[in-house]
């Protein structure tokens, strides 16, 4: 996601490409390993966008 090497010493998280809440699964094709900071950034953008849509 960020373009940095995945194994650079940062903590790694598993991200659902299609969120489980909207029908995504735990199948391999729907999972992506990302840095913890990148994972947090993706989810903060998702919350911001959904808050704007609900306004």
């Amino acid at each position: 996601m960020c373009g940095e090497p995945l194994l650079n010493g940062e903590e790694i998280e598993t991200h659902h490409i299609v969120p489980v809440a909207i029908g995504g699964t735990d199948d391999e094709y729907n999972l992506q390993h990302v840095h913890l900071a990148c994972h947090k950034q993706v989810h903060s953008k998702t919350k911001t966008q959904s808050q704007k849509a609900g306004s």
Side-chain angles (χ1 to χ4, degrees), residues 36-52:
L36 175 61
C38 296
H39 195 219
K40 287 181 177 180
Q41 187 175 19
V42 167
H43 284 282
S44 69
K45 287 180 183 177
T46 303
K47 287 179 185 175
T48 302
Q49 289 171 351
S50 65
Q51 288 172 347
K52 286 181 183 177

Side-chain angles (χ1 to χ4, degrees), residues 9-50:
E10 293 183 54
E11 192 171 337
I12 304 295
E13 292 267 323
T14 302
H15 171 69
H16 288 87
I17 298 166
V18 176
V20 174
I22 61 170
T25 66
D26 287 332
D27 293 332
E28 275 184 47
Y29 65 84
N30 191 44
L31 300 174
Q32 180 179 38
H33 295 302
V34 297
H35 300 118
L36 175 61
C38 296
H39 195 219
K40 287 181 177 180
Q41 187 175 19
V42 167
H43 284 282
S44 69
K45 287 180 183 177
T46 303
K47 287 179 185 175
T48 302
Q49 289 171 351
S50 65

